[in-house]
Amino acid sequence: MSWYRNAVWFVKGLREYTRGGYESASKHFNPADVEVDVAGRCFLVTGANSGIGKATAKEIARRGGTVHLVCRNKERAEVAKEEIVAETGNQNIFLHIVDISNPKEIWKFAEKFRNEHKLNVLINNAGCMVNNRELTEDGLEKNFATNTLGTYIMTTALLPLLEKAADARVITVSSGGMLVQKLNISDLQSGSGPFDGTMVYAQNKRQQVVLTEQWAKAHRNIHFSVMHPGWADTPAVRSSMPDFYERMKNSLRTEAQGADTVLWLAVSAEVTKLPSGLFFQDRQPVPTHLPLASTHSPPEDEEKLMEVLEEFSQKFKSTCPG
């Protein structure tokens, strides 16, 4: 059935995920939802030096929020910070250099951050699509390390801070590609069989949806959401999916259009009227499974994913200096 899932997803994408889909959906948006002042609220955005992360950070800064940019590349991050400050006039923009594929770095950062800052909203945007199987210095497959384990550790490490915050939220940027994947906990690091970076990425994005649903059940005073930004023209898409980019470049969303729902989830009062743990596209909750796609997984698999990630998490926490 994988051919069926892929075909349905692509047809759905051509209709909904492109710039035309955004323009159609946005006719029903209420502009007042995001015309808000968030001065005094603190936001952390991972992968914030380009693409959807930077576009989100910039719009939050325009609305007066304190924004913590978490980026891997220091030079590009400093350029992004300068641009955000210059365009918004907001000086409360702070930069942290962290490699989200490195669990020990995340733990070290999060423990320091918890002691020095407050946090209202965490936006897990950092991600990667590595098309050949590549291991990190810790021996982790890089897509899994960044997209799944990195997201898990960053979130769980900052939960104590979020638990103390007013109107706390966690937003994770996933992908509609996850619709073609059923949760597979037997090979989390894609070590068996041929390696397909696009499908590994889609599996990671399915894992992020499951994480969000599980966190929502466990942490009732934090609002969790996960979203699909549509197909946007970002540096990551250009570098990781060059053939797709060439084919679709005239139909791709802008970075700001891709970031719109992230911003809405981060700042709108309407969001918390909806249940925690939902998957969003263009400011609307949408199903996490295609019709007839057989991508539902048993609860015990979802619980096992959380257990395995917690084991990984604690292993790297225990080796974290300090």
Side-chain angles (χ1 to χ4, degrees):
M1 291 290 281
S2 61
W3 66 269
Y4 168 81
R5 293 199 297 264
N6 290 341
V8 172
W9 172 73
F10 192 74
V11 170
K12 180 182 174 70
L14 289 174
R15 187 174 66 247
E16 298 179 17
Y17 299 165
T18 56
R19 188 185 312 141
Y22 174 84
E23 290 168 351
S24 176
S26 65
K27 294 173 184 175
H28 306 287
F29 293 172
N30 180 359
D33 284 356
V34 294
E35 290 172 0
V36 294
D37 182 349
V38 292
R41 285 178 64 74
C42 297
F43 301 77
L44 188 155
V45 186
T46 67
N49 63 278
S50 68
I52 288 167
K54 185 173 79 170
T56 301
K58 192 179 291 184
E59 291 306 318
I60 291 169
R62 286 192 210 282
R63 290 156 176 78
T66 295
V67 186
H68 295 272
L69 313 174
V70 174
C71 308
R72 181 172 56 86
N73 184 289
K74 188 172 188 291
E75 291 74 23
R76 289 202 294 265
E78 286 173 344
V79 170
K81 177 185 172 182
E82 289 172 10
E83 179 185 321
I84 291 168
V85 171
E87 289 192 22
T88 67
N90 187 337
Q91 299 294 321
N92 293 317
I93 312 298
F94 301 93
L95 186 56
H96 311 271
I97 305 303
V98 185
D99 183 348
I100 302 296
S101 74
N102 186 320
K104 294 188 286 291
E105 268 192 40
I106 301 171
W107 272 120
K108 187 176 179 181
F109 158 74
E111 289 172 359
K112 186 172 187 288
F113 189 91
R114 286 202 313 255
N115 291 328
E116 296 177 357
H117 303 282
K118 68 173 188 172
L119 182 63
N120 298 94
V121 180
L122 168 63
I123 299 171
N124 290 309
N125 166 73
C128 70
M129 184 193 293
V130 179
N131 288 311
N132 297 300
R133 193 170 190 274
E134 181 181 322
L135 301 183
T136 69
E137 63 182 44
D138 296 302
L140 299 167
E141 191 278 314
K142 193 159 189 179
N143 293 292
F144 167 79
T146 305
N147 302 326
T148 301
L149 185 60
T151 297
Y152 179 86
I153 295 178
M154 181 65 77
T155 304
T156 54
L158 293 175
L159 281 174
L161 205 52
L162 290 160
E163 294 276 9
K164 297 186 288 189
D167 187 15
R169 306 182 189 189
V170 175
I171 300 135
T172 299
V173 178
S174 180
S175 167
M178 68 91 195
L179 290 167
V180 304
Q181 286 284 310
K182 179 179 179 178
L183 180 65
N184 176 12
I185 58 168
S186 66
D187 188 23
L188 289 176
Q189 299 200 62
S190 310
S192 62
F195 186 91
D196 182 333
T198 304
M199 289 300 104
V200 170
Y201 177 83
Q203 174 65 209
N204 295 159
K205 295 299 170 176
R206 168 63 70 188
Q207 291 159 2
Q208 290 179 342
V209 170
V210 172
L211 290 179
T212 299
E213 292 169 346
Q214 294 295 312
W215 282 326
K217 293 175 189 174
H219 304 278
R220 300 288 185 174
N221 57 336
I222 299 171
H223 193 278
F224 291 87
S225 56
V226 60
M227 60 78 67
H228 174 41
W231 293 342
D233 186 351
T234 66
V237 167
R238 282 174 238 153
S239 63
S240 298
M241 305 175 71
D243 294 342
F244 173 82
Y245 173 74
E246 282 302 317
R247 190 163 70 250
M248 299 297 298
K249 62 185 178 183
N250 294 327
S251 302
L252 296 177
R253 298 178 178 205
T254 66
E255 292 174 347
Q257 289 171 343
D260 176 82
T261 295
V262 190
L263 176 70
W264 181 79
L265 289 166
V267 306
S268 173
E270 295 303 305
V271 171
T272 52
K273 297 176 184 177
L274 296 164
S276 181
L278 299 179
F279 180 62
F280 287 85
Q281 176 188 316
D282 292 332
R283 303 193 191 183
Q284 291 290 325
V286 293
T288 56
H289 301 276
L290 292 169
L292 309 176
S294 305
T295 50
H296 293 268
S297 51
E300 53 266 30
D301 282 5
E302 299 181 355
E303 291 162 10
K304 182 65 175 176
L305 175 67
M306 303 303 283
E307 290 171 13
V308 171
L309 293 178
E310 182 61 19
E311 288 170 11
F312 269 117
S313 171
Q314 292 303 316
K315 171 187 169 185
F316 289 108
K317 183 181 183 182
S318 65
T319 60
C320 178

